Amino acid sequence: MFAFASLLFQFLGGPVAKALVSAYQAHLTAATSDKQTAATLAGQEIAAQTAETQAITQLKIAQIGHPFEPEKIAMYITLVYYAKCIIWDKVLGLGTTDVVAGPIAVGVWAGLIMSWYFAKRGAENVTTIIRAIKQ
């Protein structure tokens, strides 16, 4: 009986145990390489998202432009004039603003400035959409 048990343990301790250990090590290596691959892919995904976010930010900056462009300055002046007339004079009742008279009255030039500003921006948006569709 002892000889049989010794033979059995020698067989299990030898090639079978080595095969089981090597199979388990192969499994651990595969799991580790899968985790490394997943971590590498996650890092690449984060880098791609960061680059995409930076590109979107640069695009927004390019589309918005500088806050002191001529059409924006004209719009700011018109806005200040209307704010003074409506808020300061009418709502708060703290003063009066003389009517601007002449060949180009306030309503005409203010209306032209605002319509030009919004029409220009609208035309730019439409051309951007058409250009994006064509690509």
Side-chain angles (χ1 to χ4, degrees):
M1 178 85 172
F2 181 73
F4 178 72
S6 173
L7 184 64
L8 183 65
F9 286 127
Q10 187 180 23
F11 174 73
L12 291 177
V16 173
K18 287 181 183 176
L20 288 174
V21 169
S22 65
Y24 185 67
Q25 286 177 345
H27 172 71
L28 288 179
T29 304
T32 305
S33 66
D34 288 345
K35 289 179 183 177
Q36 288 175 348
T37 304
T40 303
L41 290 175
Q44 291 173 350
E45 177 68 22
I46 290 170
Q49 288 176 353
T50 303
E52 182 181 6
T53 303
Q54 290 173 350
I56 290 171
T57 302
Q58 290 174 352
L59 177 64
K60 286 180 183 178
I61 290 170
Q63 287 177 340
I64 292 171
H66 197 274
F68 298 114
E69 292 175 348
E71 70 266 7
K72 291 181 182 173
I73 291 174
M75 192 66 168
Y76 298 151
I77 292 169
T78 307
L79 178 66
V80 167
Y81 179 78
Y82 277 126
K84 199 271 184 200
C85 289
I86 294 171
I87 296 172
W88 190 261
D89 295 347
K90 294 292 180 185
V91 174
L92 299 176
L94 297 174
T96 59
T97 303
D98 294 334
V99 177
V100 178
I104 302 178
V106 172
V108 175
W109 67 262
L112 287 174
I113 289 173
M114 285 190 286
S115 63
W116 178 73
Y117 181 77
F118 288 111
K120 176 186 171 289
R121 184 64 64 190
E124 288 173 350
N125 291 341
V126 168
T127 56
T128 303
I129 291 169
I130 292 171
R131 191 178 310 136
I133 290 172
K134 286 184 179 181
Q135 291 178 352

